[in-house]
Amino acid sequence: MFLAILLLSAAGFTVLTTEFVIVGLLPAIARDLEVSIPQAGLLVTLFAFTVAAFGPFLTAYFARFERRRLFISILVIFGVANTVAALAPNIWVMAVARLLPALGLPVFWALASETAVDIVGPDHAGRAIEKIGFGIVCATVFGIPVGTLVGDAWGWRMAFTILAVVALLKALLLWRFLPATRLHLKQVSLRSQFGILRSPLMLGHVLLSILIFSGMFTAYTYLADILERLAGFNGTVVGWCLMAFGAVGLLGNALGGRMVDRQPLIASMVFCAFMIPALVAVMPNINSWPGLAAALAVWGITQAALFLVSHVRLMKVAPQAPAFAASLNIAGANLGIGLGAVIGGRVIDSVGLTGLGFAAAALILMSILLAMALMTTDSKTVTA
């Protein structure tokens, strides 16, 4: 079973790297395809909104399929899509290349998470998803920054070419070593899965994910541009900065996995509270190495933690349909990612890059207020 989780974690690395590698390549893509940074940022929005719109429905439908074949098929789609991205002659073909993997990501992430929880049991959901989430953190530690470094050295198209090859190799590994069996314990009807949407508490938790990810990606989408234009770093230094940002996320992933099993909403508020000063501190310290490093470190830790905390938080709200609940978090998170990219682009157009940290911090503050309201609602429900 450990091998199964390890393989899914490795596949998750490729899946999430495909979504987020564009963050480090955005300036180069914009220059090569002759569009503005905010226009290139819409590629992030397209991917995220596609996940948000189709993720829950696709996850609910494909939950009945044999997992080994399903996961292999998704990785093959990612390989093809990354090949198209590497060859894209314009922004429109690039948009199609981003659309295809966006359909597979929520299915993979939600069902891989459910598979991991089935292996260890619901009481240790945080620890299980921490192991799956390790692949996601590695995507930010190595995938995104290495993609940035590759793009700086050989061009952004080479980064997508390498991703295509890696996706197909992971598909071969799953075909060879992943057991051909469904590891989840029971089938849940489509009606039962969609029934959890009638819960106001569930909808509140989805809204919380939307707010948190909107706040994070209002600034994170344009982090490479901030480091290039405001800090004056070249592409190589930006790549190493993004690697350091992801590396500290390993600590955030571990902390989040331990805190979320005890009290998901409190864990959300704690990490959001630490993220706010980090976001605000980036711009004032943009020309100070120690200050900028400290701000990015706290931001990186809290961001990685909130990825995991948000995911487990939704699964714990609906233990009767954990995969569908996970897909709702993925949908909410990606809606937030898309909104964050749009909001960040508007902030850049209106007040410039220097306003991103404050706009992001305002959204994270709103997340804390909503989490407090959800705690009150949850306690009343328990009392009743």
Side-chain angles (χ1 to χ4, degrees), residues 325-349:
S327 74
L328 290 176
N329 174 68
I330 295 166
N334 277 274
L335 181 57
I337 290 169
L339 288 172
V342 171
I343 293 168
R346 293 301 181 107
V347 171
I348 292 172
D349 287 337

PDB file of all heavy atoms in Angstrom, residues 325-349:
ATOM      1  N   ALA A 325     -16.479  15.552  -2.019  1.00  0.00           N
ATOM      2  CA  ALA A 325     -16.143  16.723  -1.197  1.00  0.00           C
ATOM      3  C   ALA A 325     -14.772  17.267  -1.588  1.00  0.00           C
ATOM      4  O   ALA A 325     -14.579  18.488  -1.678  1.00  0.00           O
ATOM      5  CB  ALA A 325     -16.166  16.343   0.284  1.00  0.00           C
ATOM      6  N   ALA A 326     -13.831  16.367  -1.837  1.00  0.00           N
ATOM      7  CA  ALA A 326     -12.505  16.808  -2.278  1.00  0.00           C
ATOM      8  C   ALA A 326     -12.593  17.533  -3.608  1.00  0.00           C
ATOM      9  O   ALA A 326     -11.916  18.539  -3.839  1.00  0.00           O
ATOM     10  CB  ALA A 326     -11.565  15.602  -2.388  1.00  0.00           C
ATOM     11  N   SER A 327     -13.460  17.032  -4.500  1.00  0.00           N
ATOM     12  CA  SER A 327     -13.607  17.690  -5.804  1.00  0.00           C
ATOM     13  C   SER A 327     -14.224  19.073  -5.646  1.00  0.00           C
ATOM     14  O   SER A 327     -13.921  19.984  -6.425  1.00  0.00           O
ATOM     15  CB  SER A 327     -14.460  16.832  -6.740  1.00  0.00           C
ATOM     16  OG  SER A 327     -15.833  16.878  -6.395  1.00  0.00           O
ATOM     17  N   LEU A 328     -15.096  19.243  -4.658  1.00  0.00           N
ATOM     18  CA  LEU A 328     -15.666  20.566  -4.403  1.00  0.00           C
ATOM     19  C   LEU A 328     -14.593  21.532  -3.914  1.00  0.00           C
ATOM     20  O   LEU A 328     -14.585  22.717  -4.284  1.00  0.00           O
ATOM     21  CB  LEU A 328     -16.785  20.468  -3.361  1.00  0.00           C
ATOM     22  CG  LEU A 328     -18.070  19.766  -3.797  1.00  0.00           C
ATOM     23  CD1 LEU A 328     -19.046  19.670  -2.625  1.00  0.00           C
ATOM     24  CD2 LEU A 328     -18.717  20.492  -4.969  1.00  0.00           C
ATOM     25  N   ASN A 329     -13.668  21.026  -3.081  1.00  0.00           N
ATOM     26  CA  ASN A 329     -12.556  21.878  -2.663  1.00  0.00           C
ATOM     27  C   ASN A 329     -11.679  22.242  -3.851  1.00  0.00           C
ATOM     28  O   ASN A 329     -11.248  23.392  -3.998  1.00  0.00           O
ATOM     29  CB  ASN A 329     -11.711  21.185  -1.605  1.00  0.00           C
ATOM     30  CG  ASN A 329     -10.466  21.987  -1.261  1.00  0.00           C
ATOM     31  OD1 ASN A 329     -10.553  23.066  -0.679  1.00  0.00           O
ATOM     32  ND2 ASN A 329      -9.309  21.489  -1.662  1.00  0.00           N
ATOM     33  N   ILE A 330     -11.417  21.252  -4.711  1.00  0.00           N
ATOM     34  CA  ILE A 330     -10.596  21.516  -5.899  1.00  0.00           C
ATOM     35  C   ILE A 330     -11.276  22.545  -6.790  1.00  0.00           C
ATOM     36  O   ILE A 330     -10.632  23.455  -7.322  1.00  0.00           O
ATOM     37  CB  ILE A 330     -10.330  20.209  -6.660  1.00  0.00           C
ATOM     38  CG1 ILE A 330      -9.485  19.263  -5.804  1.00  0.00           C
ATOM     39  CG2 ILE A 330      -9.620  20.482  -7.985  1.00  0.00           C
ATOM     40  CD1 ILE A 330      -9.448  17.844  -6.311  1.00  0.00           C
ATOM     41  N   ALA A 331     -12.613  22.401  -6.943  1.00  0.00           N
ATOM     42  CA  ALA A 331     -13.354  23.366  -7.752  1.00  0.00           C
ATOM     43  C   ALA A 331     -13.290  24.753  -7.123  1.00  0.00           C
ATOM     44  O   ALA A 331     -13.015  25.753  -7.806  1.00  0.00           O
ATOM     45  CB  ALA A 331     -14.806  22.912  -7.895  1.00  0.00           C
ATOM     46  N   GLY A 332     -13.538  24.823  -5.807  1.00  0.00           N
ATOM     47  CA  GLY A 332     -13.492  26.111  -5.126  1.00  0.00           C
ATOM     48  C   GLY A 332     -12.106  26.724  -5.158  1.00  0.00           C
ATOM     49  O   GLY A 332     -11.947  27.930  -5.391  1.00  0.00           O
ATOM     50  N   ALA A 333     -11.087  25.883  -4.934  1.00  0.00           N
ATOM     51  CA  ALA A 333      -9.714  26.376  -4.948  1.00  0.00           C
ATOM     52  C   ALA A 333      -9.343  26.920  -6.320  1.00  0.00           C
ATOM     53  O   ALA A 333      -8.736  27.991  -6.445  1.00  0.00           O
ATOM     54  CB  ALA A 333      -8.747  25.253  -4.543  1.00  0.00           C
ATOM     55  N   ASN A 334      -9.725  26.205  -7.374  1.00  0.00           N
ATOM     56  CA  ASN A 334      -9.371  26.650  -8.717  1.00  0.00           C
ATOM     57  C   ASN A 334     -10.195  27.846  -9.162  1.00  0.00           C
ATOM     58  O   ASN A 334      -9.702  28.690  -9.914  1.00  0.00           O
ATOM     59  CB  ASN A 334      -9.505  25.495  -9.705  1.00  0.00           C
ATOM     60  CG  ASN A 334      -8.287  24.607  -9.717  1.00  0.00           C
ATOM     61  OD1 ASN A 334      -7.329  24.865 -10.423  1.00  0.00           O
ATOM     62  ND2 ASN A 334      -8.304  23.565  -8.892  1.00  0.00           N
ATOM     63  N   LEU A 335     -11.431  27.932  -8.687  1.00  0.00           N
ATOM     64  CA  LEU A 335     -12.189  29.168  -8.928  1.00  0.00           C
ATOM     65  C   LEU A 335     -11.466  30.332  -8.271  1.00  0.00           C
ATOM     66  O   LEU A 335     -11.337  31.418  -8.862  1.00  0.00           O
ATOM     67  CB  LEU A 335     -13.612  29.031  -8.371  1.00  0.00           C
ATOM     68  CG  LEU A 335     -14.533  30.240  -8.557  1.00  0.00           C
ATOM     69  CD1 LEU A 335     -14.651  30.621 -10.033  1.00  0.00           C
ATOM     70  CD2 LEU A 335     -15.911  29.955  -7.966  1.00  0.00           C
ATOM     71  N   GLY A 336     -10.969  30.100  -7.054  1.00  0.00           N
ATOM     72  CA  GLY A 336     -10.189  31.128  -6.371  1.00  0.00           C
ATOM     73  C   GLY A 336      -8.898  31.454  -7.100  1.00  0.00           C
ATOM     74  O   GLY A 336      -8.515  32.628  -7.213  1.00  0.00           O
ATOM     75  N   ILE A 337      -8.213  30.429  -7.630  1.00  0.00           N
ATOM     76  CA  ILE A 337      -6.982  30.659  -8.389  1.00  0.00           C
ATOM     77  C   ILE A 337      -7.264  31.522  -9.610  1.00  0.00           C
ATOM     78  O   ILE A 337      -6.543  32.478  -9.910  1.00  0.00           O
ATOM     79  CB  ILE A 337      -6.351  29.314  -8.809  1.00  0.00           C
ATOM     80  CG1 ILE A 337      -5.796  28.582  -7.582  1.00  0.00           C
ATOM     81  CG2 ILE A 337      -5.245  29.524  -9.840  1.00  0.00           C
ATOM     82  CD1 ILE A 337      -5.396  27.147  -7.851  1.00  0.00           C
ATOM     83  N   GLY A 338      -8.343  31.186 -10.330  1.00  0.00           N
ATOM     84  CA  GLY A 338      -8.706  31.966 -11.507  1.00  0.00           C
ATOM     85  C   GLY A 338      -9.074  33.390 -11.158  1.00  0.00           C
ATOM     86  O   GLY A 338      -8.655  34.342 -11.830  1.00  0.00           O
ATOM     87  N   LEU A 339      -9.878  33.547 -10.107  1.00  0.00           N
ATOM     88  CA  LEU A 339     -10.248  34.897  -9.670  1.00  0.00           C
ATOM     89  C   LEU A 339      -9.020  35.675  -9.215  1.00  0.00           C
ATOM     90  O   LEU A 339      -8.895  36.872  -9.489  1.00  0.00           O
ATOM     91  CB  LEU A 339     -11.268  34.808  -8.532  1.00  0.00           C
ATOM     92  CG  LEU A 339     -12.682  34.363  -8.913  1.00  0.00           C
ATOM     93  CD1 LEU A 339     -13.517  34.145  -7.663  1.00  0.00           C
ATOM     94  CD2 LEU A 339     -13.344  35.398  -9.828  1.00  0.00           C
ATOM     95  N   GLY A 340      -8.116  34.985  -8.507  1.00  0.00           N
ATOM     96  CA  GLY A 340      -6.904  35.645  -8.043  1.00  0.00           C
ATOM     97  C   GLY A 340      -6.067  36.165  -9.202  1.00  0.00           C
ATOM     98  O   GLY A 340      -5.548  37.286  -9.162  1.00  0.00           O
ATOM     99  N   ALA A 341      -5.954  35.353 -10.274  1.00  0.00           N
ATOM    100  CA  ALA A 341      -5.199  35.798 -11.448  1.00  0.00           C
ATOM    101  C   ALA A 341      -5.840  37.025 -12.079  1.00  0.00           C
ATOM    102  O   ALA A 341      -5.153  37.964 -12.504  1.00  0.00           O
ATOM    103  CB  ALA A 341      -5.095  34.660 -12.467  1.00  0.00           C
ATOM    104  N   VAL A 342      -7.180  37.024 -12.142  1.00  0.00           N
ATOM    105  CA  VAL A 342      -7.893  38.172 -12.720  1.00  0.00           C
ATOM    106  C   VAL A 342      -7.741  39.398 -11.835  1.00  0.00           C
ATOM    107  O   VAL A 342      -7.443  40.509 -12.311  1.00  0.00           O
ATOM    108  CB  VAL A 342      -9.384  37.835 -12.924  1.00  0.00           C
ATOM    109  CG1 VAL A 342     -10.157  39.085 -13.322  1.00  0.00           C
ATOM    110  CG2 VAL A 342      -9.546  36.762 -13.984  1.00  0.00           C
ATOM    111  N   ILE A 343      -7.960  39.215 -10.519  1.00  0.00           N
ATOM    112  CA  ILE A 343      -7.837  40.340  -9.581  1.00  0.00           C
ATOM    113  C   ILE A 343      -6.421  40.908  -9.619  1.00  0.00           C
ATOM    114  O   ILE A 343      -6.217  42.125  -9.670  1.00  0.00           O
ATOM    115  CB  ILE A 343      -8.202  39.893  -8.153  1.00  0.00           C
ATOM    116  CG1 ILE A 343      -9.690  39.547  -8.073  1.00  0.00           C
ATOM    117  CG2 ILE A 343      -7.863  40.992  -7.138  1.00  0.00           C
ATOM    118  CD1 ILE A 343     -10.089  38.837  -6.792  1.00  0.00           C
ATOM    119  N   GLY A 344      -5.429  40.014  -9.601  1.00  0.00           N
ATOM    120  CA  GLY A 344      -4.047  40.472  -9.661  1.00  0.00           C
ATOM    121  C   GLY A 344      -3.755  41.249 -10.931  1.00  0.00           C
ATOM    122  O   GLY A 344      -3.071  42.276 -10.909  1.00  0.00           O
ATOM    123  N   GLY A 345      -4.292  40.759 -12.074  1.00  0.00           N
ATOM    124  CA  GLY A 345      -4.103  41.473 -13.327  1.00  0.00           C
ATOM    125  C   GLY A 345      -4.717  42.861 -13.300  1.00  0.00           C
ATOM    126  O   GLY A 345      -4.114  43.834 -13.797  1.00  0.00           O
ATOM    127  N   ARG A 346      -5.901  42.975 -12.697  1.00  0.00           N
ATOM    128  CA  ARG A 346      -6.557  44.289 -12.581  1.00  0.00           C
ATOM    129  C   ARG A 346      -5.762  45.219 -11.670  1.00  0.00           C
ATOM    130  O   ARG A 346      -5.654  46.427 -11.937  1.00  0.00           O
ATOM    131  CB  ARG A 346      -7.987  44.123 -12.053  1.00  0.00           C
ATOM    132  CG  ARG A 346      -8.935  43.410 -13.007  1.00  0.00           C
ATOM    133  CD  ARG A 346      -9.062  44.136 -14.329  1.00  0.00           C
ATOM    134  NE  ARG A 346      -9.977  43.478 -15.231  1.00  0.00           N
ATOM    135  CZ  ARG A 346     -11.182  43.923 -15.537  1.00  0.00           C
ATOM    136  NH1 ARG A 346     -11.629  45.049 -14.990  1.00  0.00           N
ATOM    137  NH2 ARG A 346     -11.952  43.266 -16.383  1.00  0.00           N
ATOM    138  N   VAL A 347      -5.234  44.652 -10.584  1.00  0.00           N
ATOM    139  CA  VAL A 347      -4.425  45.468  -9.669  1.00  0.00           C
ATOM    140  C   VAL A 347      -3.183  45.988 -10.384  1.00  0.00           C
ATOM    141  O   VAL A 347      -2.817  47.161 -10.252  1.00  0.00           O
ATOM    142  CB  VAL A 347      -4.033  44.647  -8.413  1.00  0.00           C
ATOM    143  CG1 VAL A 347      -3.010  45.408  -7.571  1.00  0.00           C
ATOM    144  CG2 VAL A 347      -5.265  44.334  -7.577  1.00  0.00           C
ATOM    145  N   ILE A 348      -2.543  45.125 -11.174  1.00  0.00           N
ATOM    146  CA  ILE A 348      -1.359  45.544 -11.930  1.00  0.00           C
ATOM    147  C   ILE A 348      -1.712  46.666 -12.898  1.00  0.00           C
ATOM    148  O   ILE A 348      -1.001  47.667 -13.015  1.00  0.00           O
ATOM    149  CB  ILE A 348      -0.754  44.345 -12.693  1.00  0.00           C
ATOM    150  CG1 ILE A 348      -0.162  43.331 -11.711  1.00  0.00           C
ATOM    151  CG2 ILE A 348       0.343  44.821 -13.658  1.00  0.00           C
ATOM    152  CD1 ILE A 348       0.277  42.033 -12.366  1.00  0.00           C
ATOM    153  N   ASP A 349      -2.843  46.517 -13.602  1.00  0.00           N
ATOM    154  CA  ASP A 349      -3.250  47.530 -14.576  1.00  0.00           C
ATOM    155  C   ASP A 349      -3.602  48.867 -13.920  1.00  0.00           C
ATOM    156  O   ASP A 349      -3.399  49.928 -14.502  1.00  0.00           O
ATOM    157  CB  ASP A 349      -4.455  47.034 -15.384  1.00  0.00           C
ATOM    158  CG  ASP A 349      -4.079  45.957 -16.388  1.00  0.00           C
ATOM    159  OD1 ASP A 349      -2.896  45.893 -16.768  1.00  0.00           O
ATOM    160  OD2 ASP A 349      -4.966  45.183 -16.783  1.00  0.00           O
TER     161      ASP A 349
END
